[in-house]
Amino acid sequence: MAEHPGTKPFTEASNTRAAADTPAVHTFDALIIGAGFSGLYQLHTLREQLGMRVRVLEQGGGIGGTWYWNRYPGARCDSESYYYCYSFDKRIEQEWTWSERYPGHAEIRQYLDFVARRLDLLRDVQLDTKVVGAQYDDDAGIWTVDTEGGERFRAPFLITAVGCLSTANVPAIPGLDRFAGQWYHTGQWPHEGVDFTGKRVGQIGTGSTGIQVAPVIAEQATHLTVFQRTANYSIPARNRPVTAQEIRLTRDNYEDIWRRARSGANGHPFTIADRSVHDVPADERQRIFEEAWERGGLRFRASFRDILVDKGANDITSDFLRAKIRAVVKDPEMAETLTPRDHGFATKRPPIDTGYFETFNRDNVRLVDLKAEPIVEITERGLRTTRREYPLDILVFATGFDALTGPLLKLNITGSGGRRLSDDWSAGPRTYLGLQTPGFPNLFTITGPGSPSVLCNMPIAIEQHVDWITACIGDMRAQGLTRIEAERDAADGWVRHVNDAANATLLPQASSSWYLGANVPGKPRVFMPYAGGFARYAGICDEVAGDGYRGFARS
Ligand code: NA7
């Protein structure tokens, strides 16, 4: 795939290293790590609203964050395009036109490139720059950031904009190094694409990604074997081109769309119906579900208000979806293997699909139930389970991410007094509002653990965080303050609140969920995102700021 234009690495004279063993040091008012949706908007606000000198350090060779890396065939956002975008700039909102109901990965990169050019962002973005360490100097009140290339950056404020799903989880299956074919993780997909023609392909993983990629591979490959550990629910996406009338209507109504998105639980502009699954007679309920199924997409779960909080309501919903799998998949044994029985609908991240279950009616597709025959090893020729060896030319890992904490811990962050973030989070992330961690002054995290993040339509969650951080730094500068740090009591209270919010839903009951870190062996089992709802969360953040940044020590 061709790289999109306008994303050449930042270069300037001062960027070259002064001498082989003396890193060049570049000083800024703020450093941002990551040039996806969050890093780009954070750059814009700090520069334009506060007049700060900012540098964005980006590991990739282009902007786009998650969408720079996730280029696997079928990669598409499951928020609808008209609201998977920024809301802060009327001009951008009115000029950009999405082509499909759900934006594909290439179109999202084109959109971000359009935004970056419109706002002249690229001059402050340094590409191909991987951060390998960040240390806080208490005496100087300065963060020092080191890069793999040996450069050093210093600034009083450090903002991580590294995304929630950016550290690929490649399971440690013995034998991968001796596999004679090619293997790929979907989150690190080659830019030139992968040609599956004439190949026997194995795919491990049936989360949102696996469900998107399998139908596309099956169409191209000679044969596809899907290795499934946990069966998943999926709602048809019903993707299609956007009509001229929809574009007009959206543009005319953006104010209302954003107002609704911000006042809801998940940053989506659709409202969750104010009725219980138990309130309506069975035939009426069936009609409502069928209608939602036909409409497709994430808004299926908005059909009733109690799908995620009432076990009985969730069981009824899950049964409807299980029946759909049986209705689509012709082989009853295969249908049963594809039917989730161990968790309720949407207690794990609910995928949406284009022809996923239909894929299993194809002659060239096989399903392997890893619960019945676990993986033993990868061999030179393919993959061996406890039952047999499956010969493969290509192995695709759709095995997800070390979500939320992974991208942050990879940065090797050391805070006040030399404390390491990895030590402080050894039993799970401990943040205040998901924005700051005690012991790490002037370090802000956009959509960090403890904030609504992945439970939301991300651009809405990102804008709320960036606006809050920008206002917070602006307020400090106005008052002549230089240091802000979350107080330990405030963080402890917030961690309790995050747990309570999760426990008020059915979400923690899905024991294999990446929300809990369960997909990464050895990761602490803690429910990481804030499940109390976006609007409620944003209200708390505003209240904290309005109350003199309650829970933050500022000096
Ligand atoms: P997910 O949702 O974490 O899915 C990963 C899949 O890979 C899931 O089916 C896992 O099974 C499976 N997996 C992970 N490790 C293994 C091993 N070792 N063996 C077999 N199977 C394994 O990641 P996605 O990329 O699909 O989606 C991530 C998010 O991106 C998505 O939710 C959207 O928010 C966008 P498990 O369920 O853990 O048993």
Side-chain angles (χ1 to χ4, degrees), residues 210-219 224 226 228 232-239 293-294 296 321 323-331 334-335 338 351-367:
I211 280 175
Q212 283 187 336
V213 78
V216 191
I217 298 178
E219 272 176 19
L224 171 67
V226 175
Q228 171 192 278
N232 221 333
Y233 302 90
S234 184
I235 308 292
R238 312 235 184 260
N239 189 34
W293 176 265
E294 285 311 314
L321 296 171
K324 286 291 181 194
I325 299 172
R326 283 196 298 277
V328 172
V329 181
K330 292 188 182 130
D331 175 344
M334 216 181 209
L338 285 164
I352 63 174
D353 72 279
T354 301
Y356 176 65
F357 292 113
E358 290 82 350
T359 296
F360 294 93
N361 292 333
R362 295 176 66 106
D363 293 338
N364 69 335
V365 175
R366 169 171 49 204
L367 177 67

Side-chain angles (χ1 to χ4, degrees), residues 77-90:
C77 186
D78 47 14
S79 284
E80 297 189 36
S81 53
Y82 72 92
Y83 62 87
Y84 190 74
C85 47
Y86 294 119
S87 72
F88 69 86
D89 188 307
K90 291 274 160 270

Side-chain angles (χ1 to χ4, degrees), residues 70 72 78 165 169 171-173 185-186 204-211 227-230 232 348-350 370-371 375 398-401 454 512-515 518-519:
N70 280 271
Y72 61 86
D78 47 14
L165 299 161
N169 168 41
I173 302 172
H185 187 283
T186 47
I204 305 180
T206 53
S208 300
T209 300
I211 280 175
F227 296 94
Q228 171 192 278
R229 186 163 71 182
T230 306
N232 221 333
K348 291 177 78 167
R349 180 64 145 79
L370 295 178
K371 291 262 160 69
I375 296 173
T399 43
F401 303 90
V454 291
S512 65
S513 163
W514 59 256
Y515 296 152
N519 62 324

Side-chain angles (χ1 to χ4, degrees), residues 151-170:
E151 284 180 283
R152 179 162 278 189
F153 296 84
R154 285 163 66 81
F157 291 100
L158 176 62
I159 300 163
T160 63
V162 289
C164 304
L165 299 161
S166 47
T167 303
N169 168 41
V170 180

